[in-house]
């Protein structure tokens, strides 16, 4: 199959770089076509702004999604965006390789989401989740963290890692129609011995070697939702993230202490 | 008090711009000192990379946090970062004004997190959460969304909005020591009538006028955690985000359908 690896780390010789290299080598050895978007090496523009639109639909007021839709339709979207969209369109599997910075993707990767998944390419009216424009494609995150697996446990001080990744898993990938594999996570590679790092790379190679058998994440199908887009009364929340409003509210009405 | 408003929208005349303007006017009328970081207007550099460090601690291998720590100590951190750090240091209250794009902050604001909250300024060994370097300061998000409050309900198709904002509320703000107010949320301002938008602005002005009485978010104190940084057995999770591992796992071991 065709694989796109989006790589978002400033140091090619980092552990993130090693994970990317292992992925490229493993997938190619298995006969897959692999493209890599090395965002730092390309100097990828992170910020969605007026410069993305050579011809403006409305030159007096910048509404990003309306300009995106107009530029997609007219074929005037910025060439760097079009190139990335071409890679996504060709891919059957998209792998995002990045370090977790402040509980999210590095800005250069967030910018790749903001700029590449335009209205018109990434979504449009009536096309989201089950009817998303990327349906038929799969995606997977490969993420390193700076703190331990315990801190990212569901009852850890940082919060559950799958919950923290929901904005990407559900918000970008499932929203646009991807089927999403469970992520490959490596905690604190900077504290590992060379032997431990080699074992992690070997584990990742094995995972990719059997990518078609890798677990996927469950998201409720659209039939589980009412017209208000909330889970129907008889549906038990099963995404691990959604819940009935029975959990404690974190809002302390007393104000600052 | 001193207030810093960080504004991350490309169109100054947008509803986000109106919220910013209302905040500036209201807070100044109440006698507060207000600074604004208009990230788009400033052309703020979003991407943390080698250019942030005029003098490199290690010129052969780029490790962002080690370079940040060295540059903070030597006083050689990039001038645009130092300017933003000065604003944060002066502020008693930091307000982040942004539209939710792909379930997260626009890349230019994520880059502000990545670049400004350096190792050495934003955190350092032994200084996080209750002992965070920003303790004594407060912060609040003011966020617009493209879809309805129902979609962002806890059982909505997009997931609970407070859960989606956890990476910022807990991951950046609480992690670095801020006390965090409940966010000001405006859903789908683009679909509102002028009257409805005016009411939202009035609501926000009232909220800011009584900012000291605004609810805050609960985060577990460090005494609730064991040495493994997981909640102690007798502590009931009360952040609304953390939970015991009794929830369903979203990982479907059967692999792709």
């Amino acid at each position: 199959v065709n694989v796109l690896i989006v790589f978002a780390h400033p140091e090619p010789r980092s552990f993130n770089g090693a994970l990317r290299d292992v992925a490229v080598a493993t997938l190619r050895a298995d006969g897959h076509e692999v493209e890599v978007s090395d965002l730092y090496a390309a100097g990828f523009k992170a910020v969605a702004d007026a410069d993305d639109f050579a011809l403006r639909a409305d030159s007096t007021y910048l509404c990003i999604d309306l300009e995106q839709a107009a530029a997609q339709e007219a074929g005037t979207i910025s060439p760097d965006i079009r190139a990335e969209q071409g890679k996504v369109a060709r891919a059957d599997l998209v792998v995002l390789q990045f370090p977790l910075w402040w509980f999210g993707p590095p800005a250069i990767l967030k910018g790749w989401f903001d700029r590449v998944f335009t209205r018109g390419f990434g979504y449009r009216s009536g096309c989201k989740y089950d009817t998303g424009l990327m349906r038929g494609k799969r995606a997977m995150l490969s993420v390193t963290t700076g703190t331990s697996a315990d801190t990212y446990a569901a009852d850890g001080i940082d919060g559950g890692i799958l919950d923290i990744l929901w904005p990407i898993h559900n918000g970008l990938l499932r929203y646009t129609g991807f089927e999403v594999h469970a992520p490959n996570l490596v905690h604190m590679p900077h504290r590992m011995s060379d032997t431990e790092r080699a074992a992690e790379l070997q584990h990742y190679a094995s995972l990719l070697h059997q990518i078609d058998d890798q677990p996927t994440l469950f998201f409720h199908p659209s039939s589980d939702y009412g017209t208000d887009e909330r889970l129907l009364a008889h549906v038990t929340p099963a995404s691990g993230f959604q819940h009935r409003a029975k959990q404690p509210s974190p809002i302390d009405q007393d104000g600052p202490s």
Side-chain angles (χ1 to χ4, degrees), chain A residues 100-117:
Chain A
L100 203 64
W101 286 357
W102 290 120
F103 290 45
I108 201 168
L109 181 56
K110 182 56 170 56
W112 187 83
F113 302 165
D114 292 346
R115 295 183 66 236
V116 175
F117 286 79

Side-chain angles (χ1 to χ4, degrees), chain A residues 129-244:
Chain A
Y129 294 114
D130 284 1
T131 57
L133 297 170
M134 303 298 143
R135 65 189 179 282
K137 298 180 186 295
R138 288 187 275 146
M140 185 178 72
L141 308 188
S142 178
V143 179
T144 62
T145 73
T147 58
S148 71
D150 274 333
T151 70
Y152 286 113
D155 59 356
I157 195 167
D158 293 337
I161 188 67
L162 286 181
D163 299 325
I164 286 167
L165 294 175
W166 172 271
I168 308 177
H169 280 150
N170 182 73
L172 180 80
L173 298 173
R174 186 61 204 151
Y175 189 100
T176 59
F178 286 94
E179 186 164 22
V180 185
H181 284 292
N184 184 57
L185 301 171
V186 183
H187 294 286
M188 304 179 79
H190 60 295
R191 295 288 184 86
M192 287 180 177
S193 66
D194 287 349
T195 306
E196 289 169 322
R197 276 194 286 263
E200 286 289 349
L201 295 174
Q202 183 54 50
H203 168 78
Y204 188 43
S206 301
L207 182 163
L208 291 169
H209 190 58
Q210 304 178 55
I211 184 66
D212 289 345
D213 301 324
Q214 288 307 307
T216 53
L217 300 179
F218 172 80
F219 300 97
H220 285 280
S222 55
S223 56
D224 282 357
Y225 295 97
T227 53
D228 61 358
E229 302 191 275
R230 295 177 69 165
L231 288 171
L232 292 165
H234 71 273
V235 174
T236 302
S239 65
F241 190 87
Q242 292 155 306
H243 54 84
R244 305 293 181 196

